[in-house]
Amino acid sequence: MIIYGSSVSPFVRKTIAFATEKGIDFKVKSENPGSQDPEFRQASPFGKIPGFRDGDYTLSDSSAIIAYLEALKPDPVLIPVEPRARGKTIWWDEFADTILLGAGNRIFFNRIVLPKFRGQPGDLAVADKAEREELPPILDYLEQAIPSSGWMVEDRLTLADLAVATGFANLRYAGCPVQSSKHPRLTAYVEKILSRPSFAGSLAREAKVFAT
Ligand SMILES: N[C@@H](CCC(=O)N[C@@H](CS)C(=O)NCC(=O)O)C(=O)O
């Protein structure tokens, strides 16, 4: 199996972590968003990362890829089957992809992607406004939502945790790490999830990208 993209993308990092937690064998083929590589475009017609291939079967979108992997290899269960737990897991994935990363990507794109990867100035006013106005209520919401077990759903690791945590690596790179003085529970939670071996390979590769 091939995951196309770069783990600097939170969506790619989430997909890699999910496949790793599942014990699925895959390789990552480096592709930038918008790449015209025909093999990649067959998997991701609109050029978004991640794209995915399993033989002649192709997919794009992290949540679609993850749904395929869960069905292909149900053990360990990372998308619960109990209806309420499943609904909550999909909510957290969707919340992370749209609400958290909606704000997070306005910050990361303008502070990091444009200047570092595309050689263009980012709109820092947009990033600053997102950090100042959009992010705080999202972090406050998460702070009170994390159960005392330290897992979002079913008191164990699920897709929900991988989806929520992945974007916090990008927030760190963009100069707004979650702060334990303001959000102690969230800080400990993010640290715990991002410290899992399933994130380690991606974060180590990214450290090299950000060191240059
Ligand atoms: N909903 C998609 C979002 C994927 C996405 O937007 N990826 C970004 C990189 S972080 C991308 O490829 N952007 C390029 C573009 O939108 O053209 C998913 O979950 O995979």
Side-chain angles (χ1 to χ4, degrees):
M1 290 186 208
I2 301 172
I3 296 172
Y4 298 97
S6 156
S7 71
V8 169
S9 156
F11 303 102
V12 176
R13 192 186 302 111
K14 174 183 69 169
T15 307
I16 291 172
F18 187 90
T20 306
E21 295 282 357
K22 282 277 181 194
I24 287 171
D25 209 21
F26 65 92
K27 62 179 186 179
V28 177
K29 185 165 179 218
S30 177
E31 294 286 356
N32 291 324
S35 158
Q36 293 297 335
D37 175 357
E39 182 190 319
F40 166 63
R41 290 306 277 241
Q42 193 186 25
S44 183
F46 294 92
K48 290 186 185 258
I49 57 172
F52 174 82
R53 175 180 299 274
D54 183 7
D56 62 355
Y57 181 72
T58 56
L59 262 184
S60 63
D61 191 284
S62 60
S63 300
I65 298 163
I66 280 169
Y68 172 74
L69 296 178
E70 181 73 17
L72 197 67
K73 189 172 182 301
D75 184 40
V77 175
L78 293 181
I79 302 179
V81 289
E82 191 276 322
R84 291 180 175 211
R86 176 172 291 196
K88 287 294 182 191
T89 301
I90 301 303
W91 149 251
W92 283 118
D93 186 40
E94 191 63 21
F95 159 86
D97 284 4
T98 58
I99 296 174
L100 175 59
L101 288 175
N105 278 345
R106 266 184 279 289
I107 301 169
F108 186 70
F109 188 73
N110 285 297
R111 288 188 188 161
I112 305 290
V113 174
L114 283 175
K116 184 168 174 63
F117 299 122
R118 300 202 190 159
Q120 296 168 29
D123 189 335
L124 297 182
V126 166
D128 292 351
K129 188 169 189 287
E131 181 178 6
R132 204 172 51 244
E133 294 176 14
E134 284 185 71
L135 204 52
I138 297 171
L139 301 185
D140 291 347
Y141 169 72
L142 277 168
E143 178 71 11
Q144 57 76 45
I146 298 166
S148 53
S149 68
W151 307 102
M152 282 303 191
V153 182
E154 283 195 341
D155 298 341
R156 64 183 184 85
L157 179 80
T158 66
L159 165 63
D161 304 302
L162 305 176
V164 168
T166 185
F168 282 93
N170 296 72
L171 285 171
R172 252 186 228 165
Y173 299 143
C176 33
V178 61
Q179 289 171 26
S180 58
S181 53
K182 285 190 196 151
H183 299 105
R185 189 182 278 251
L186 179 59
T187 304
Y189 170 79
V190 166
E191 187 54 42
K192 177 180 81 173
I193 307 298
L194 289 184
S195 297
R196 292 183 71 82
S198 57
F199 279 108
S202 295
L203 295 175
R205 266 193 309 276
E206 293 158 33
K208 287 188 196 145
V209 172
F210 285 100
T212 58

